[in-house]
mmCIF file with all atom_site columns, all heavy atoms in Angstrom:
data_model
loop_
_atom_site.group_PDB
_atom_site.id
_atom_site.type_symbol
_atom_site.label_atom_id
_atom_site.label_alt_id
_atom_site.label_comp_id
_atom_site.label_asym_id
_atom_site.label_entity_id
_atom_site.label_seq_id
_atom_site.pdbx_PDB_ins_code
_atom_site.Cartn_x
_atom_site.Cartn_y
_atom_site.Cartn_z
_atom_site.occupancy
_atom_site.B_iso_or_equiv
_atom_site.pdbx_formal_charge
_atom_site.auth_seq_id
_atom_site.auth_comp_id
_atom_site.auth_asym_id
_atom_site.auth_atom_id
_atom_site.pdbx_PDB_model_num
ATOM 1   N N   . VAL A 1 24 ? 5.145   -14.520 16.187 1.00 96.00 ? 24 VAL A N   1
ATOM 2   C CA  . VAL A 1 24 ? 4.029   -13.646 16.465 1.00 96.00 ? 24 VAL A CA  1
ATOM 3   C C   . VAL A 1 24 ? 4.046   -12.483 15.509 1.00 96.00 ? 24 VAL A C   1
ATOM 4   O O   . VAL A 1 24 ? 5.097   -11.817 15.337 1.00 96.00 ? 24 VAL A O   1
ATOM 5   C CB  . VAL A 1 24 ? 4.009   -13.167 17.893 1.00 96.00 ? 24 VAL A CB  1
ATOM 6   C CG1 . VAL A 1 24 ? 2.947   -12.118 18.096 1.00 96.00 ? 24 VAL A CG1 1
ATOM 7   C CG2 . VAL A 1 24 ? 3.862   -14.276 18.896 1.00 96.00 ? 24 VAL A CG2 1
ATOM 8   N N   . LEU A 1 25 ? 2.897   -12.220 14.856 1.00 96.00 ? 25 LEU A N   1
ATOM 9   C CA  . LEU A 1 25 ? 2.735   -11.039 14.011 1.00 96.00 ? 25 LEU A CA  1
ATOM 10  C C   . LEU A 1 25 ? 1.628   -10.216 14.670 1.00 96.00 ? 25 LEU A C   1
ATOM 11  O O   . LEU A 1 25 ? 0.516   -10.698 14.884 1.00 96.00 ? 25 LEU A O   1
ATOM 12  C CB  . LEU A 1 25 ? 2.346   -11.449 12.613 1.00 96.00 ? 25 LEU A CB  1
ATOM 13  C CG  . LEU A 1 25 ? 2.232   -10.328 11.572 1.00 96.00 ? 25 LEU A CG  1
ATOM 14  C CD1 . LEU A 1 25 ? 3.626   -9.856  11.206 1.00 96.00 ? 25 LEU A CD1 1
ATOM 15  C CD2 . LEU A 1 25 ? 1.458   -10.785 10.356 1.00 96.00 ? 25 LEU A CD2 1
ATOM 16  N N   . GLU A 1 26 ? 1.908   -8.943  14.942 1.00 97.00 ? 26 GLU A N   1
ATOM 17  C CA  . GLU A 1 26 ? 0.910   -8.114  15.567 1.00 97.00 ? 26 GLU A CA  1
ATOM 18  C C   . GLU A 1 26 ? 0.876   -6.734  14.971 1.00 97.00 ? 26 GLU A C   1
ATOM 19  O O   . GLU A 1 26 ? 1.769   -6.352  14.228 1.00 97.00 ? 26 GLU A O   1
ATOM 20  C CB  . GLU A 1 26 ? 1.174   -8.035  17.114 1.00 97.00 ? 26 GLU A CB  1
ATOM 21  C CG  . GLU A 1 26 ? 2.566   -7.552  17.522 1.00 97.00 ? 26 GLU A CG  1
ATOM 22  C CD  . GLU A 1 26 ? 2.826   -7.720  18.988 1.00 97.00 ? 26 GLU A CD  1
ATOM 23  O OE1 . GLU A 1 26 ? 1.824   -7.701  19.772 1.00 97.00 ? 26 GLU A OE1 1
ATOM 24  O OE2 . GLU A 1 26 ? 3.983   -7.844  19.383 1.00 97.00 ? 26 GLU A OE2 1
ATOM 25  N N   . GLY A 1 27 ? -0.137  -5.976  15.330 1.00 97.00 ? 27 GLY A N   1
ATOM 26  C CA  . GLY A 1 27 ? -0.302  -4.631  14.791 1.00 97.00 ? 27 GLY A CA  1
ATOM 27  C C   . GLY A 1 27 ? -1.638  -4.019  15.207 1.00 97.00 ? 27 GLY A C   1
ATOM 28  O O   . GLY A 1 27 ? -2.292  -4.557  16.083 1.00 97.00 ? 27 GLY A O   1
ATOM 29  N N   . ARG A 1 28 ? -2.022  -2.970  14.504 1.00 97.00 ? 28 ARG A N   1
ATOM 30  C CA  . ARG A 1 28 ? -3.330  -2.374  14.796 1.00 97.00 ? 28 ARG A CA  1
ATOM 31  C C   . ARG A 1 28 ? -4.019  -2.062  13.457 1.00 97.00 ? 28 ARG A C   1
ATOM 32  O O   . ARG A 1 28 ? -3.459  -1.395  12.602 1.00 97.00 ? 28 ARG A O   1
ATOM 33  C CB  . ARG A 1 28 ? -3.131  -1.043  15.554 1.00 97.00 ? 28 ARG A CB  1
ATOM 34  C CG  . ARG A 1 28 ? -4.403  -0.522  16.108 1.00 97.00 ? 28 ARG A CG  1
ATOM 35  C CD  . ARG A 1 28 ? -4.171  0.783   16.833 1.00 97.00 ? 28 ARG A CD  1
ATOM 36  N NE  . ARG A 1 28 ? -5.332  1.098   17.755 1.00 97.00 ? 28 ARG A NE  1
ATOM 37  C CZ  . ARG A 1 28 ? -5.485  2.296   18.321 1.00 97.00 ? 28 ARG A CZ  1
ATOM 38  N NH1 . ARG A 1 28 ? -4.594  3.286   18.182 1.00 97.00 ? 28 ARG A NH1 1
ATOM 39  N NH2 . ARG A 1 28 ? -6.571  2.516   19.110 1.00 97.00 ? 28 ARG A NH2 1
ATOM 40  N N   . LEU A 1 29 ? -5.246  -2.542  13.301 1.00 97.00 ? 29 LEU A N   1
ATOM 41  C CA  . LEU A 1 29 ? -6.008  -2.388  12.083 1.00 97.00 ? 29 LEU A CA  1
ATOM 42  C C   . LEU A 1 29 ? -6.741  -1.060  12.154 1.00 97.00 ? 29 LEU A C   1
ATOM 43  O O   . LEU A 1 29 ? -7.471  -0.772  13.124 1.00 97.00 ? 29 LEU A O   1
ATOM 44  C CB  . LEU A 1 29 ? -7.045  -3.526  11.910 1.00 97.00 ? 29 LEU A CB  1
ATOM 45  C CG  . LEU A 1 29 ? -7.760  -3.552  10.595 1.00 97.00 ? 29 LEU A CG  1
ATOM 46  C CD1 . LEU A 1 29 ? -6.856  -3.809  9.422  1.00 97.00 ? 29 LEU A CD1 1
ATOM 47  C CD2 . LEU A 1 29 ? -8.835  -4.675  10.628 1.00 97.00 ? 29 LEU A CD2 1
ATOM 48  N N   . MET A 1 30 ? -6.589  -0.221  11.103 1.00 95.00 ? 30 MET A N   1
ATOM 49  C CA  . MET A 1 30 ? -7.172  1.094   11.063 1.00 95.00 ? 30 MET A CA  1
ATOM 50  C C   . MET A 1 30 ? -8.105  1.260   9.859  1.00 95.00 ? 30 MET A C   1
ATOM 51  O O   . MET A 1 30 ? -7.789  0.870   8.739  1.00 95.00 ? 30 MET A O   1
ATOM 52  C CB  . MET A 1 30 ? -6.061  2.147   10.960 1.00 95.00 ? 30 MET A CB  1
ATOM 53  C CG  . MET A 1 30 ? -4.993  2.103   12.065 1.00 95.00 ? 30 MET A CG  1
ATOM 54  S SD  . MET A 1 30 ? -5.661  2.506   13.698 1.00 95.00 ? 30 MET A SD  1
ATOM 55  C CE  . MET A 1 30 ? -5.950  4.286   13.517 1.00 95.00 ? 30 MET A CE  1
ATOM 56  N N   . LYS A 1 31 ? -9.261  1.902   10.149 1.00 91.00 ? 31 LYS A N   1
ATOM 57  C CA  . LYS A 1 31 ? -10.192 2.203   9.100  1.00 91.00 ? 31 LYS A CA  1
ATOM 58  C C   . LYS A 1 31 ? -9.789  3.470   8.349  1.00 91.00 ? 31 LYS A C   1
ATOM 59  O O   . LYS A 1 31 ? -9.986  3.570   7.143  1.00 91.00 ? 31 LYS A O   1
ATOM 60  C CB  . LYS A 1 31 ? -11.610 2.363   9.643  1.00 91.00 ? 31 LYS A CB  1
ATOM 61  C CG  . LYS A 1 31 ? -12.665 2.708   8.624  1.00 91.00 ? 31 LYS A CG  1
ATOM 62  C CD  . LYS A 1 31 ? -14.040 2.921   9.320  1.00 91.00 ? 31 LYS A CD  1
ATOM 63  C CE  . LYS A 1 31 ? -14.596 1.625   9.839  1.00 91.00 ? 31 LYS A CE  1
ATOM 64  N NZ  . LYS A 1 31 ? -15.995 1.823   10.321 1.00 91.00 ? 31 LYS A NZ  1
ATOM 65  N N   . ASP A 1 32 ? -9.267  4.406   9.093  1.00 88.00 ? 32 ASP A N   1
ATOM 66  C CA  . ASP A 1 32 ? -8.646  5.599   8.520  1.00 88.00 ? 32 ASP A CA  1
ATOM 67  C C   . ASP A 1 32 ? -7.511  6.018   9.392  1.00 88.00 ? 32 ASP A C   1
ATOM 68  O O   . ASP A 1 32 ? -7.085  5.278   10.286 1.00 88.00 ? 32 ASP A O   1
ATOM 69  C CB  . ASP A 1 32 ? -9.675  6.753   8.316  1.00 88.00 ? 32 ASP A CB  1
ATOM 70  C CG  . ASP A 1 32 ? -10.412 7.076   9.616  1.00 88.00 ? 32 ASP A CG  1
ATOM 71  O OD1 . ASP A 1 32 ? -9.777  7.118   10.679 1.00 88.00 ? 32 ASP A OD1 1
ATOM 72  O OD2 . ASP A 1 32 ? -11.630 7.350   9.546  1.00 88.00 ? 32 ASP A OD2 1
ATOM 73  N N   . CYS A 1 33 ? -7.021  7.257   9.228  1.00 88.00 ? 33 CYS A N   1
ATOM 74  C CA  . CYS A 1 33 ? -5.836  7.690   9.991  1.00 88.00 ? 33 CYS A CA  1
ATOM 75  C C   . CYS A 1 33 ? -6.039  7.733   11.475 1.00 88.00 ? 33 CYS A C   1
ATOM 76  O O   . CYS A 1 33 ? -5.087  7.647   12.257 1.00 88.00 ? 33 CYS A O   1
ATOM 77  C CB  . CYS A 1 33 ? -5.311  9.043   9.481  1.00 88.00 ? 33 CYS A CB  1
ATOM 78  S SG  . CYS A 1 33 ? -4.796  8.966   7.755  1.00 88.00 ? 33 CYS A SG  1
ATOM 79  N N   . ASP A 1 34 ? -7.314  7.942   11.912 1.00 91.00 ? 34 ASP A N   1
ATOM 80  C CA  . ASP A 1 34 ? -7.577  8.147   13.325 1.00 91.00 ? 34 ASP A CA  1
ATOM 81  C C   . ASP A 1 34 ? -8.480  7.092   13.960 1.00 91.00 ? 34 ASP A C   1
ATOM 82  O O   . ASP A 1 34 ? -8.629  7.072   15.167 1.00 91.00 ? 34 ASP A O   1
ATOM 83  C CB  . ASP A 1 34 ? -8.228  9.537   13.504 1.00 91.00 ? 34 ASP A CB  1
ATOM 84  C CG  . ASP A 1 34 ? -7.362  10.661  12.954 1.00 91.00 ? 34 ASP A CG  1
ATOM 85  O OD1 . ASP A 1 34 ? -6.207  10.750  13.333 1.00 91.00 ? 34 ASP A OD1 1
ATOM 86  O OD2 . ASP A 1 34 ? -7.871  11.464  12.151 1.00 91.00 ? 34 ASP A OD2 1
ATOM 87  N N   . THR A 1 35 ? -9.112  6.272   13.139 1.00 94.00 ? 35 THR A N   1
ATOM 88  C CA  . THR A 1 35 ? -10.147 5.352   13.629 1.00 94.00 ? 35 THR A CA  1
ATOM 89  C C   . THR A 1 35 ? -9.703  3.909   13.534 1.00 94.00 ? 35 THR A C   1
ATOM 90  O O   . THR A 1 35 ? -9.572  3.377   12.437 1.00 94.00 ? 35 THR A O   1
ATOM 91  C CB  . THR A 1 35 ? -11.426 5.547   12.855 1.00 94.00 ? 35 THR A CB  1
ATOM 92  O OG1 . THR A 1 35 ? -11.788 6.906   12.804 1.00 94.00 ? 35 THR A OG1 1
ATOM 93  C CG2 . THR A 1 35 ? -12.568 4.766   13.501 1.00 94.00 ? 35 THR A CG2 1
ATOM 94  N N   . PRO A 1 36 ? -9.554  3.206   14.701 1.00 96.00 ? 36 PRO A N   1
ATOM 95  C CA  . PRO A 1 36 ? -9.233  1.787   14.662 1.00 96.00 ? 36 PRO A CA  1
ATOM 96  C C   . PRO A 1 36 ? -10.459 0.980   14.272 1.00 96.00 ? 36 PRO A C   1
ATOM 97  O O   . PRO A 1 36 ? -11.607 1.425   14.470 1.00 96.00 ? 36 PRO A O   1
ATOM 98  C CB  . PRO A 1 36 ? -8.777  1.492   16.119 1.00 96.00 ? 36 PRO A CB  1
ATOM 99  C CG  . PRO A 1 36 ? -9.467  2.530   16.920 1.00 96.00 ? 36 PRO A CG  1
ATOM 100 C CD  . PRO A 1 36 ? -9.537  3.770   16.067 1.00 96.00 ? 36 PRO A CD  1
#
Side-chain angles (χ1 to χ4, degrees):
V24 173
L25 186 74
E26 55 189 333
R28 193 181 196 191
L29 187 65
M30 303 293 290
K31 180 182 291 187
D32 56 38
C33 295
D34 304 307
T35 310

